[in-house]
Amino acid sequence: MKQKENYNNTLVACFIGYIVQAIVNNFVPLLFLTFQSELGISLEKVTLLVTFNFGIQLLVDFLSAKYVNKIGYRCSMIIAHVTVAAGLVGLTILPAIMGDAFVGLLIAVAIYAIGGGLIEVLVSPIVEACPTKRKEAAMSLLHSFYCWGHVGVVLLSTIFFMVAGIENWRILACLWAIIPLVNTFLFASVPIASLIEEGEEELSIGTLFKNKVFLLMLVLMVCAGASEQAVSQWASAFAEAGLGVSKTVGDLAGPLLFATLMGLSRLLYGKYSEHFKLERLMFFSTLLCVFGYLLTSLSSIPILGFVGCAVCGFSVGILWPGTFSLSTKAIKGGGTAMFAFLALAGDLGCGSGPTFVGMVSSTAGQNLKMGILAAVVFPILLLIGLTVHGRLLRNK
């Protein structure tokens, strides 16, 4: 019983870890206009902070495949949480003490992005290694906490700004830093099981890339990330048009509804996973995603476009954690490198999806719906990939 309770604490630490990841990715964008007015930084430079954050995380994803096993999971997670806390506090100090406020922000973002990258790579294999019976359910529940963290960061930050004033954002940054700091102590004490079972050998990076199933999983992760973010990044625009609300309200309503429905689908699968076959559920979820894309892009009624956006949010929920679960079932001994490269592929998809939508929209005369329509290629490729995956398994 004690061991079970201890590993429950490990799961709790991982769930909080994904909330920390949500803070890393979603807090600073709320301050873009404040950085512009208070620190005198152009909006073009400020928006580069998001690109820089994800660029550092991609680099960490790549390096983790080689170095995390040498450092160890526990030490890596402690480093991750300490750097996130330090980066958040750095946001309040570095712009003031550096000669250039923007350079100060970049340094702070780089520090917490290192932690964000490590957390993204490590929480999934740590949960996978825990001696739980329903691993697919645990993985889906884990990833739902990123969604709840996203919603919590935006809502609680908005409430704080309304009550205390946005000029006190530095206080809030330090308050958010408390969460990774507390979780540091949790990861210092909880048990962390080995991902590689006794008698197994961890596959080398070279062997992984010779594995057809692994290469297919990389494609699925790119498509899962792109399917998720291609619509998510434009959710505020559809909320504004569909609900007839102001841009400020749209910026909250669209992304928050998307994140809530994505988290809800992950939570529901986590609760009822024993009643469904993962591969089949992912296939039908992807079909629903295609329908959501078509409804969003082809409907001439604004509210239906917004409904389509919401459908996409619910449908993509299982795709990212589901691909992790498919990978661990199909590839024995994949280890840290497998999770690191899957995270890297997912992040590439998250970056390429919105970029693709933006490029097509621009070419079509700033027609966002045409961009969304073109991006339906990502869930369609995912459907093809899942079909190929099923055939590969049957031919084994």
Side-chain angles (χ1 to χ4, degrees):
M1 178 63 71
K2 185 176 180 182
Q3 185 188 40
K4 182 178 179 182
E5 290 175 354
N6 283 342
Y7 278 105
N8 283 340
N9 291 336
T10 306
L11 292 174
V12 168
C14 289
F15 295 161
I16 297 172
Y18 249 144
I19 293 175
V20 172
Q21 175 75 354
I23 296 171
V24 165
N25 291 339
N26 297 292
F27 176 58
V28 162
L30 299 174
L31 299 171
F32 280 174
L33 295 180
T34 303
F35 290 157
Q36 184 185 20
S37 60
E38 185 178 319
L39 302 178
I41 303 171
S42 70
L43 195 57
E44 182 181 4
K45 276 189 173 181
V46 169
T47 53
L48 280 175
L49 294 175
V50 171
T51 305
F52 188 65
N53 172 33
F54 284 107
I56 295 292
Q57 290 192 47
L58 282 170
L59 179 62
V60 171
D61 290 347
F62 179 76
L63 294 175
S64 295
K66 187 173 183 180
Y67 295 108
V68 160
N69 281 340
K70 297 178 182 178
I71 301 171
Y73 277 20
R74 188 185 308 280
C75 185
S76 295
M77 286 303 271
I78 290 173
I79 291 171
H81 285 77
V82 169
T83 52
V84 171
L88 289 170
V89 174
L91 287 173
T92 71
I93 300 171
L94 294 176
I97 64 175
M98 300 294 293
D100 186 333
F102 181 63
V103 172
L105 287 177
L106 281 178
I107 295 172
V109 169
I111 293 170
Y112 71 57
I114 292 170
L118 284 170
I119 289 171
E120 183 176 36
V121 168
L122 293 175
V123 286
S124 293
I126 290 174
V127 167
E128 181 65 29
C130 286
T132 54
K133 292 182 179 179
R134 298 170 59 205
K135 290 185 181 293
E136 294 171 3
M139 188 68 72
S140 185
L141 186 60
L142 167 71
H143 284 261
S144 77
F145 272 83
Y146 179 83
C147 304
W148 308 134
H150 180 180
V151 172
V153 168
V154 175
L155 282 182
L156 293 177
S157 296
T158 302
I159 292 170
F160 178 91
F161 295 148
M162 290 173 61
V163 174
I166 199 164
E167 65 273 9
N168 290 311
W169 64 268
R170 291 175 179 82
I171 295 174
L172 183 59
C174 292
L175 290 175
W176 283 127
I178 294 173
I179 297 177
L181 197 59
V182 169
N183 214 31
T184 301
F185 293 101
L186 270 177
F187 269 110
S189 58
V190 297
I192 298 177
S194 173
L195 184 63
I196 304 300
E197 295 180 6
E198 190 175 345
E200 280 187 357
E201 287 188 14
E202 184 165 350
L203 302 178
S204 68
I205 294 175
T207 303
L208 267 178
F209 276 91
K210 292 176 183 176
N211 187 311
K212 291 180 180 179
V213 176
F214 174 68
L215 296 177
L216 178 60
M217 291 297 111
L218 291 180
V219 174
L220 293 185
M221 281 300 291
V222 170
C223 293
S227 298
E228 176 184 318
Q229 291 299 314
V231 171
S232 174
Q233 292 295 308
W234 305 103
S236 58
F238 283 99
E240 188 179 346
L243 301 178
V245 296
S246 67
K247 185 180 187 307
T248 302
V249 174
D251 285 346
L252 288 175
L256 288 185
L257 179 63
F258 192 96
T260 299
L261 289 174
M262 186 164 66
L264 180 61
S265 67
R266 290 172 175 176
L267 183 65
L268 288 174
Y269 179 70
K271 184 174 177 62
Y272 300 108
S273 61
E274 71 272 18
H275 301 296
F276 301 98
K277 187 175 180 181
L278 177 60
E279 293 87 342
R280 185 172 299 173
L281 186 62
M282 286 182 67
F283 187 86
F284 284 110
S285 292
T286 309
L287 279 178
L288 183 62
C289 184
V290 171
F291 170 75
Y293 266 77
L294 295 177
L295 183 61
T296 301
S297 58
L298 298 179
S299 173
S300 59
I301 304 172
I303 189 64
L304 288 181
F306 181 61
V307 170
C309 186
V311 169
C312 288
F314 185 81
S315 66
V316 298
I318 191 60
L319 303 182
W320 185 298
T323 304
F324 272 124
S325 294
L326 290 182
S327 301
T328 54
K329 285 199 301 182
I331 305 169
K332 298 300 181 184
T336 308
M338 181 182 75
F339 280 92
F341 282 114
L342 288 173
L344 178 61
D347 283 340
L348 286 173
C350 288
S352 61
T355 302
F356 180 75
V357 171
M359 288 172 59
V360 174
S361 300
S362 179
T363 304
Q366 305 304 316
N367 189 333
L368 179 56
K369 287 194 172 186
M370 288 302 297
I372 298 292
L373 180 60
V376 77
V377 66
F378 295 117
I380 289 175
L381 285 173
L382 194 54
L383 281 174
I384 296 170
L386 287 168
T387 302
V388 172
H389 173 261
R391 289 180 179 175
L392 285 175
L393 291 185
R394 284 194 296 271
N395 292 334
K396 271 193 170 184

